[in-house]
Structures are given as structure tokens and as C-alpha cells.
Amino acid sequence: MSFEQWCTRWESVPLSEAAERYDICKASDNHVEDLEELFEDEPGCFFVHEGGLTIDGPLSIGNDPGLAPDTVYVIDGDLTVDGPMRFLNADVYTPLFVTGSVTAQHLMCLMDSNLFIGGSLTVGGLLMTELSDMGVVVVNGAASAGAWLETWDRGEVIFVDDLKARRLRLSGGDYLEHSDADDAADALLPEFLDGDTEDASEKLWKAALEGRPLLRP
């Protein structure tokens, strides 16, 4: 699913006006200093959803080359997902900026995702980040989750306030080896870690869509 398909109320705001209204540099904790870092050509506009947005059920968003306009998407308000949410960009760096807070049952940010949250982040279950070098997640307000699984030593995940969550690492990997992260096998159900750990995100997302638990009781 592309950005264009999951909401029909996007307003095209000219770049000069949008850049003044929505400070992407500040929202990204200064990780994006210029839009040219994200786009081959400077976008002509931002796509903006005025006001909060509530999604009844799962939400899967993202972008592939040529799938949707390569620009900045802004929700000027809160984003509430009554179910799991996945953000997956592939070889493009289309950002989503939520000026308010984000709430979801589970949240997975994968590959080249750029998610900037101006307010708080509340994830009832699993927060998973598996980012490439250009992937960035920034939460400017309070953040909490049942558990946070980070699997790649790439990209940037910034919590301006401390994240309140159990931190997990994959067994056998050297990422987070010397941190206070727990072995993911102690928290995730074993079905998600059987075989190739690179498939864990797909297994977890499928289970989340089916309403099955991801974490051990």
C-alpha cells in the first residue's frame, strides 16, 4: 500500500508554504538538514492531512520507486491506529511527519522508512525497527512500548525522551551485544525466531495481522 491509497484527504501544499509550516529539520532532530538529502529533486509540494487521523484496523504504508509522489507526507494532528502499523520504504526515503502523537497496537519501521513524530509514541505491544542506513525514526515526546526489538546496527532511532520499554536483541547477532538488551528469544514467541532471523519481521507482521500474540505472556 502506498501513502496515496490509505487516505483520500491529502491536501497539496506548495513547498514554500509547507516548509515554513512544517519544520522537517526540527522534527527529524536535525538528521534532515535539507530535503535534497531525501529526494533526487526537490518536491514541488507537501501532502498534508489537516487534523487527527484514526485508522480502524491495521495500517501498512510505504513507498517504492514510482509508486507514489516522492514528497513529504504530514498528518497535522494525531495518528491513532486501532491495530498494528507497518512503515516500509524500499529504495526511496519518503517521510511521514506526524505533528501530534502516534498510537498503535504494534509498530514496525523497516528499511528506508523516515518517521518523525512531534508528540508522543504509545505502542501497546511490540515496537520493531529494522532500518537501512537512510532510515530514521524520531520521537520528540514521551515514548513507551511493551518491548522494543532493534535488529540492524544501521539507520537512526532517536527518542528525545527516554523510551519506556523492554529492549530486545536477536540471539547470535553482535548488535546490542554489550548493551542491557535482553535476548529476543526470552520475550518473543519461538515461532518468530525459527530459521532465518531475517524473516522475523514478515512472520511478526503476518501474526499481527491475524491478531495473534507476538510477545510471551
Side-chain angles (χ1 to χ4, degrees):
M1 175 183 284
S2 73
F3 285 91
E4 293 287 272
Q5 293 171 311
W6 66 280
C7 178
T8 59
R9 293 175 53 195
W10 295 111
E11 175 192 0
S12 176
V13 178
L15 179 62
S16 57
E17 178 186 345
E20 186 174 340
R21 283 169 56 182
Y22 306 108
D23 189 341
I24 298 301
C25 178
K26 181 179 179 181
S28 70
D29 195 44
N30 298 312
H31 281 76
V32 178
E33 296 182 2
D34 193 302
L35 291 178
E36 290 183 2
E37 296 178 27
L38 298 176
F39 306 115
E40 217 173 281
D41 298 311
E42 194 170 60
C45 67
F46 285 15
F47 286 141
V48 178
H49 180 280
E50 294 282 358
L53 181 60
T54 298
I55 304 296
D56 184 16
L59 172 63
S60 180
I61 59 171
N63 204 1
D64 287 303
L67 183 63
D70 209 6
T71 185
V72 179
Y73 289 79
V74 179
I75 296 174
D76 199 349
D78 297 335
L79 172 61
T80 301
V81 181
D82 186 17
M85 174 179 171
R86 180 174 70 169
F87 185 5
L88 171 59
N89 274 341
D91 295 324
V92 290
Y93 315 116
T94 307
L96 172 62
F97 174 27
V98 180
T99 65
S101 298
V102 173
T103 303
Q105 179 189 21
H106 304 292
L107 174 59
M108 301 178 187
C109 293
L110 311 174
M111 294 182 65
D112 301 312
S113 299
N114 279 259
L115 176 62
F116 310 134
I117 301 173
S120 63
L121 171 65
T122 303
V123 178
L126 180 67
L127 168 63
M128 180 178 184
T129 52
E130 189 171 90
L131 300 174
S132 65
D133 293 338
M134 287 293 290
V136 181
V137 174
V138 178
V139 181
N140 287 280
S144 64
W148 174 30
L149 173 62
E150 190 173 21
T151 60
W152 289 356
D153 189 10
R154 301 170 65 182
E156 294 284 350
V157 182
I158 305 297
F159 302 104
V160 176
D161 291 343
D162 289 338
L163 170 69
K164 295 180 180 179
R166 183 181 183 185
R167 192 166 184 177
L168 307 176
R169 61 180 292 272
L170 290 177
S171 177
D174 56 6
Y175 188 41
L176 302 181
E177 182 178 8
H178 303 295
S179 78
D180 58 356
D182 296 329
D183 191 329
D186 295 333
L188 294 178
L189 292 172
E191 63 185 280
F192 305 121
L193 301 175
D194 291 342
D196 192 341
T197 56
E198 291 184 1
D199 294 332
S201 63
E202 286 300 323
K203 293 176 182 177
L204 287 163
W205 179 243
K206 180 180 179 182
L209 289 177
E210 295 172 352
R212 293 189 280 121
L214 308 186
L215 299 170
R216 295 177 184 270

